[in-house]
Amino acid sequence: MSDKIELVDLQTQRQRLGTRIDKAIAKVLEHGAYIMGPEVEALERELVASCGARRAVTCASGTDALVLALRALDVGPGDGVFVPSLTFSATAEAVVIVGATPIFVDVSEASFTMNPDSLVAAISSSAALGCRPVGSIAVDLYGHPADYSELCEVSAVSDLWILADAAQSFGATLNGRRSGAIVDVTATSFFPAKPLGCYGDGGAVLTHDDALADLVESLRQHGQGADKYENVRVGMNSRLDSIQAAILLEKLSIFEDELAARQDVARHYADLLDGVVGLPSVAAGATSAWASYTVLVEDREAVMARLEADGIASRVYYPTPLHRQRAYQSLPAAPGGLPVTEELSARILSLPMHPYLDAGAQARIAESLQKATGGRR
Ligand SMILES: *Cc1c(COP(=O)(O)O)cnc(C)c1O
């Protein structure tokens, strides 16, 4: 039987980089500045150059990037923050960590991202919830930017900010702007399987706002003032290791090429799978970073079993929306509930997606899906 096709392939990328990563790590071991070493500053400069944000402040994870951004936005007890339910738990978790209340909002059928109409409805109902609405976290699910033009317009009317959860979308674009520079404040993740990943945990806050970036720099290192032994506020320990920064610098040097390869893979999937499964759509003016290639199927269990039997990995991101999770089910949601989230979570299925997925593997995946669905959707 032919080789198993995995969801993500990090080994081919490692082989492509040859000894570069080993050498970059060895350099950190030699100079010994494991924490806040020169690689961290160099990476922050490269991230700024890559996405066009004014500042990049790295930290220990994407989850911490959300927490740091929320703390810098002065979010705390009594505040309500609108979040989608169709997302990774960290989006809502960060809001709870800072003591505020997540309010779940539905997503749009076409984009899988926060629905501006549902946000309007949630804003108008939030007074009754006993918390003060302050802003939203929009999630660029599967690598596709949220509908920021609409979301920003709706938010501005009520004087609310928007924080972008771009954990899956580093490299995506919207109307000529890169993820990280689309709205004022963005949190991203360098978890290994994200479009730009390190070999451990890592994240960054990207922003156009100098004052906010200064605050995040202080918060990530124990609320430091002039240095970490002067504490001007209560912060946390959330720095990116120098070794992870060194790895990310090497990976950034091939990132544009990998993004282009992901676009090719996505285009090829769209050709192969048209009429076989429900295809992900890309909004006008947007490009996706294709963190995953997520399609819609009817009899998901059967489709997954067929793929598995044919040696093809598939996964449901995410099988249970947050408003149905034990930890979050008591939290408020937009009036009318979250029908699109419910409907999509029963049908979504993520297929293998990475820059090194070749045409032969994609043909095998398409053939297996064809068998499973009988060519119907
Ligand atoms: C991965 C992810 C996070 C959290 O990032 P970590 O680096 O794993 O902490 C947050 N939000 C979304 C949407 C994610 O996919």
Side-chain angles (χ1 to χ4, degrees):
M1 189 177 140
S2 30
D3 287 349
K4 174 100 197 260
I5 304 173
E6 301 293 346
L7 277 181
V8 170
D9 171 9
L10 296 174
Q11 284 311 321
T12 303
Q13 179 197 54
R14 178 149 180 261
Q15 280 151 24
R16 172 181 177 178
L17 285 165
T19 57
R20 288 173 54 185
I21 288 187
D22 303 65
K23 283 183 181 148
I25 293 172
K27 212 170 142 195
V28 177
L29 297 182
E30 265 155 48
H31 68 55
Y34 308 121
I35 302 289
M36 299 307 284
E39 291 79 8
V40 173
E41 212 174 296
L43 174 66
E44 290 176 347
R45 273 197 306 274
E46 291 300 319
L47 290 172
V48 161
S50 168
C51 77
R54 189 172 160 73
R55 298 271 294 276
V57 185
T58 55
C59 61
S61 69
T63 306
D64 276 6
L66 288 167
V67 171
L68 286 162
L70 289 171
R71 287 203 56 193
L73 288 163
D74 202 22
V75 180
D79 294 339
V81 178
F82 303 101
V83 298
S85 168
L86 188 67
T87 179
F88 182 62
S89 57
T91 312
E93 186 182 38
V95 176
V96 177
I97 286 173
V98 301
T101 304
I103 302 163
F104 291 117
V105 171
D106 210 0
V107 291
S108 300
E109 178 110 44
S111 66
F112 304 152
T113 62
M114 189 182 269
N115 182 326
D117 295 330
S118 180
L119 175 60
V120 171
I123 293 170
S124 57
S125 75
S126 58
L129 299 172
C131 55
R132 182 174 60 101
V134 291
S136 313
I137 307 180
V139 177
D140 302 343
L141 200 68
Y142 310 137
H144 188 290
D147 184 2
Y148 289 107
S149 323
E150 286 278 326
L151 292 172
C152 288
E153 208 173 297
V154 164
S155 299
V157 172
S158 304
D159 204 18
L160 308 178
W161 43 255
I162 291 205
L163 165 60
D165 180 343
Q168 302 180 10
S169 71
F170 194 75
T173 65
L174 184 63
N175 300 324
R177 287 207 207 178
R178 279 276 181 134
S179 174
I182 298 171
V183 292
D184 281 346
V185 196
T186 297
T188 197
S189 164
F190 305 126
F191 181 83
K194 309 282 172 164
L196 177 66
C198 53
Y199 290 154
D201 278 310
V205 175
L206 307 159
T207 180
H208 293 307
D209 181 336
D210 271 322
L212 188 130
D214 290 344
L215 256 174
V216 173
E217 278 184 355
S218 168
L219 288 166
R220 77 168 164 188
Q221 183 140 271
H222 308 291
Q224 70 173 12
D227 61 51
K228 74 172 159 178
Y229 303 108
E230 186 200 4
N231 310 109
V232 296
R233 56 182 62 81
V234 176
M236 54 203 265
N237 175 359
S238 183
R239 297 160 303 214
L240 182 72
D241 295 345
S242 304
I243 287 179
Q244 299 302 344
I247 291 163
L248 284 166
L249 278 166
E250 296 305 323
K251 291 201 184 194
L252 250 185
S253 71
I254 57 165
F255 185 62
E256 293 305 312
D257 188 60
E258 290 191 333
L259 270 180
R262 284 178 190 270
Q263 303 300 345
D264 290 343
V265 171
R267 261 192 299 271
H268 196 46
Y269 261 142
D271 289 343
L272 288 170
L273 299 178
D274 191 20
V276 179
V277 293
L279 297 178
S281 55
V282 178
T287 61
S288 176
W290 296 112
S292 69
Y293 194 86
T294 301
V295 300
L296 297 175
V297 296
E298 293 309 328
D299 191 357
R300 186 166 64 195
E301 300 246 313
V303 172
M304 290 183 83
R306 180 73 257 163
L307 289 167
E308 170 75 24
D310 290 337
I312 299 159
S314 66
R315 186 88 60 84
V316 181
Y317 296 113
Y318 299 89
T320 308
L322 298 186
H323 72 290
R324 298 265 176 230
Q325 297 275 5
R326 179 143 45 115
Y328 303 106
Q329 63 193 4
S330 61
L331 291 168
L338 310 175
V340 180
T341 299
E342 305 269 1
E343 149 87 17
L344 288 177
S345 28
R347 296 173 61 208
I348 43 179
L349 182 64
S350 298
L351 303 177
M353 170 47 95
H354 59 81
Y356 307 100
L357 194 65
D358 61 42
Q362 287 194 272
R364 257 178 70 196
I365 296 163
E367 197 185 321
S368 180
L369 283 169
Q370 186 90 37
K371 270 189 289 183
T373 64
R376 294 179 313 274
R377 9 213 300 198

